[in-house]
Amino acid sequence: MHLAYPAVLSVLLFCTGLYGVLARRNAILVLMSVELMLNAVNLNLVAFDVWLSRAAEERLHSGQALTLFTIAIAAAEIGIGLAIVLAVHRNRGTSDIDKLRDTAEGHEPDGPDTDIPATGTAAEKAEATA
């Protein structure tokens, strides 16, 4: 079997995953697209391992060992990522990435339309919102 077949399949899988990361708004679909990209890399690692082991006549299988490590890291990444997405969904009520963009700032999505004065301490601001 030629090296071109798994390489082309890997490129197609990676491009599909990249499109999913760039075009999707749902955080779970973005995580699935990242997994698709990692699987494309795994396919490349195994294909080049088989190709290089035939050329060098050595059976080290380093590409397959790297693939196992990548699968283990991807499983941990998807577990932590899914836990974060579920926690954010419980707190915010949505998993839309565009609506979650201002989570770090702590502002509402509509903007600062509150009755809090521009000057004052944090305690005064907390009293004004309570």
Side-chain angles (χ1 to χ4, degrees):
M1 185 162 92
H2 297 287
L3 181 63
Y5 298 133
V8 168
L9 180 62
S10 176
V11 166
L12 290 175
L13 282 174
F14 191 85
C15 289
T16 304
L18 185 64
Y19 173 74
V21 167
L22 295 176
R24 299 294 177 186
R25 293 185 178 170
N26 191 349
I28 295 175
L29 292 178
V30 170
L31 286 174
M32 288 174 57
S33 298
V34 169
E35 289 295 321
L36 194 62
M37 292 168 63
L38 286 172
N39 285 333
V41 171
N42 288 339
L43 179 63
N44 253 343
L45 283 172
V46 171
F48 275 98
D49 178 54
V50 169
W51 183 65
L52 289 174
S53 67
R54 286 182 186 166
E57 295 183 10
E58 294 178 10
R59 299 292 175 183
L60 295 177
H61 299 295
S62 58
Q64 294 177 12
L66 284 174
T67 299
L68 288 176
F69 284 120
T70 306
I71 290 171
I73 290 171
E77 174 257 334
I78 198 70
I80 292 172
L82 190 58
I84 290 171
V85 167
L86 288 175
V88 168
H89 182 68
R90 283 185 190 150
N91 290 337
R92 294 289 214 145
T94 184
S95 62
D96 190 4
I97 293 175
D98 291 335
K99 293 181 181 176
L100 299 176
R101 186 171 295 163
D102 61 346
T103 303
E105 289 88 21
H107 298 294
E108 292 297 320
D110 297 331
D113 292 334
T114 60
D115 296 332
I116 300 173
T119 59
T121 63
E124 291 175 0
K125 291 180 181 180
E127 281 182 21
T129 58

